[in-house]
């Protein structure tokens, strides 16, 4: 089995690469899947480790049976999370660049602290999401309030405009009525003057008629 074939067998576990162990007699029946050097990589490796354990093909099963083939000759793979001793055995016949390099680091440093940091970040993210949600609600409330104020202002402006128009109409009507009253008063004054003029003329006519009668009497 080649490196790519081993990766393809476990493509659901996001391993980065695969390596095989070789000795004087060729392939030693051991392969290693190398995962990302991170908390995610460790968790993926643990997930594969649990898969083998649930299938009954973990370290304990291999130590007891070491049977890589099923009845009929089909290959059966065993797997588990490697320890330092496992890697030393894996590299037993490897030299130089062919040797699988590794570094031992504590679980607390690589996993627990990172998970704690992720949890802290998650809580902070939840907090900031909550703050953003609150600010969005405030913003929406402010927008709604501004919209209502704008509507009221528009309505007030319209009412003021209508009120101003009404005032202007009232002023025009009062001015018009005042002009009509002035005209009526002028006509009444002229009519009164005309009546008085008629009366004066009638008085003069009467006086003229009286004088004429007296003259006629004298001549008779």
């Amino acid at each position: 089995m080649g490196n790519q074939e081993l990766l393809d067998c476990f493509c659901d576990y996001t391993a980065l690469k695969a390596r095989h162990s070789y000795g004087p007699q060729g392939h030693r029946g051991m392969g290693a899947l190398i995962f990302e050097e991170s908390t995610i990589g460790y968790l993926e490796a643990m997930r594969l480790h649990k898969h083998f354990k649930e299938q009954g093909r973990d370290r304990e099963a291999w130590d007891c049976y070491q049977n890589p083939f099923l009845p009929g000759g089909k290959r059966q793979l065993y797997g588990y999370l490697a320890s330092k001793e496992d890697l030393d055995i894996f590299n037993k016949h490897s030299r130089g660049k062919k040797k699988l390099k590794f570094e031992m680091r504590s679980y607390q440093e690589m996993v627990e602290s990172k998970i704690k940091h992720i949890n802290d970040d998650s809580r902070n993210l939840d907090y900031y999401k909550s703050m953003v949600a609150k600010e969005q609600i405030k913003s929406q409330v402010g927008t709604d309030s501004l919209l209502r104020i704008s509507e009221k202002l528009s309505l007030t402006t319209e009412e003021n405009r209508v009120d101003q128009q009404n005032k202007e109409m009232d002023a025009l009507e009062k001015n018009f009525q005042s002009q009509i009253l002035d005209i009526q008063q002028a006509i009444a004054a002229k009519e009164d003057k005309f009546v008085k003029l008629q009366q004066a003329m009638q008085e003069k006519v009467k006086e003229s008629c009286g004088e004429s009668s007296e003259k006629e009497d004298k001549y008779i």
Side-chain angles (χ1 to χ4, degrees), residues 26-71:
H27 196 285
R28 298 176 62 209
M30 291 186 291
L33 285 172
I34 302 170
F35 291 84
E36 179 183 333
E37 188 180 345
S38 66
T39 304
I40 297 299
Y42 174 82
L43 294 176
E44 278 293 281
M46 279 300 299
R47 191 163 70 91
L48 181 56
H49 172 83
K50 289 179 180 179
H51 165 75
F52 278 113
K53 188 175 183 66
E54 290 168 356
Q55 297 294 318
R57 293 181 284 126
D58 58 354
R59 179 193 297 273
E60 184 179 350
W62 174 250
D63 289 342
C64 292
Y65 304 109
Q66 295 191 6
N67 182 13
F69 297 99
L70 293 171

Side-chain angles (χ1 to χ4, degrees), residues 13 15 26 61 69 117 120 167 213-214:
Y13 294 89
F69 297 99
H117 184 68
D120 291 342
K167 287 181 180 179
S213 297
E214 288 180 357

Side-chain angles (χ1 to χ4, degrees), residues 3-213:
N3 292 339
Q4 189 58 49
E5 187 179 358
L6 184 58
L7 283 172
D8 292 342
C9 282
F10 303 102
C11 59
D12 293 336
Y13 294 89
T14 65
L16 295 179
K17 53 187 176 180
R19 289 282 299 276
H20 290 272
S21 179
Y22 295 89
Q25 305 299 321
H27 196 285
R28 298 176 62 209
M30 291 186 291
L33 285 172
I34 302 170
F35 291 84
E36 179 183 333
E37 188 180 345
S38 66
T39 304
I40 297 299
Y42 174 82
L43 294 176
E44 278 293 281
M46 279 300 299
R47 191 163 70 91
L48 181 56
H49 172 83
K50 289 179 180 179
H51 165 75
F52 278 113
K53 188 175 183 66
E54 290 168 356
Q55 297 294 318
R57 293 181 284 126
D58 58 354
R59 179 193 297 273
E60 184 179 350
W62 174 250
D63 289 342
C64 292
Y65 304 109
Q66 295 191 6
N67 182 13
F69 297 99
L70 293 171
K74 185 177 180 180
R75 186 191 304 273
Q76 178 172 244
L77 297 178
Y78 292 75
Y80 43 85
L81 200 64
S83 65
K84 180 181 181 303
E85 290 74 17
D86 295 324
L87 294 175
D88 288 338
I89 293 171
F90 187 90
N91 286 328
K92 184 176 181 181
H93 299 286
S94 301
R95 296 288 183 274
K97 294 183 179 179
K98 293 183 179 181
K99 194 171 184 179
L100 181 61
K101 296 180 180 180
F102 65 93
E103 178 186 1
M104 300 300 296
R105 301 175 70 175
S106 70
Y107 174 82
Q108 287 76 14
E109 176 189 358
M110 293 301 298
V111 181
E112 284 187 353
S113 62
K114 299 292 179 63
I115 290 176
K116 182 179 182 299
H117 184 68
I118 291 171
N119 289 337
D120 291 342
D121 288 346
S122 178
R123 282 193 292 270
N124 289 334
L125 181 61
D126 291 340
Y127 171 76
Y128 287 120
K129 282 182 178 179
S130 176
M131 292 296 292
V132 168
K134 288 179 181 178
E135 289 300 322
Q136 287 176 340
I137 291 172
K138 288 181 181 179
S139 176
Q140 184 61 43
V141 170
T143 301
D144 293 341
S145 299
L146 183 60
L147 182 59
R148 287 195 295 271
I149 291 171
S150 178
E151 290 174 350
K152 288 181 180 179
L153 182 60
S154 298
L155 183 60
T156 302
T157 303
E158 179 65 20
E159 289 175 349
N160 290 340
R161 187 180 66 81
V162 172
D163 187 47
Q164 182 64 28
Q165 288 180 345
N166 290 337
K167 287 181 180 179
E168 291 176 358
M169 291 296 293
D170 290 342
L172 289 173
E173 185 177 357
K174 287 179 180 179
N175 186 44
F176 180 69
Q177 290 176 349
S178 177
Q179 290 179 359
I180 291 175
L181 182 60
D182 290 342
I183 293 170
Q184 289 175 341
Q185 288 176 348
I187 292 172
K190 288 182 179 181
E191 287 180 346
D192 185 57
K193 186 176 181 181
F194 180 73
V195 169
K196 288 180 179 179
L197 182 60
Q198 278 186 329
Q199 289 176 349
M201 290 180 66
Q202 287 175 356
E203 289 294 331
K204 286 182 179 182
V205 170
K206 286 180 181 180
E207 288 176 0
S208 297
C209 290
E211 291 176 356
S212 297
S213 297

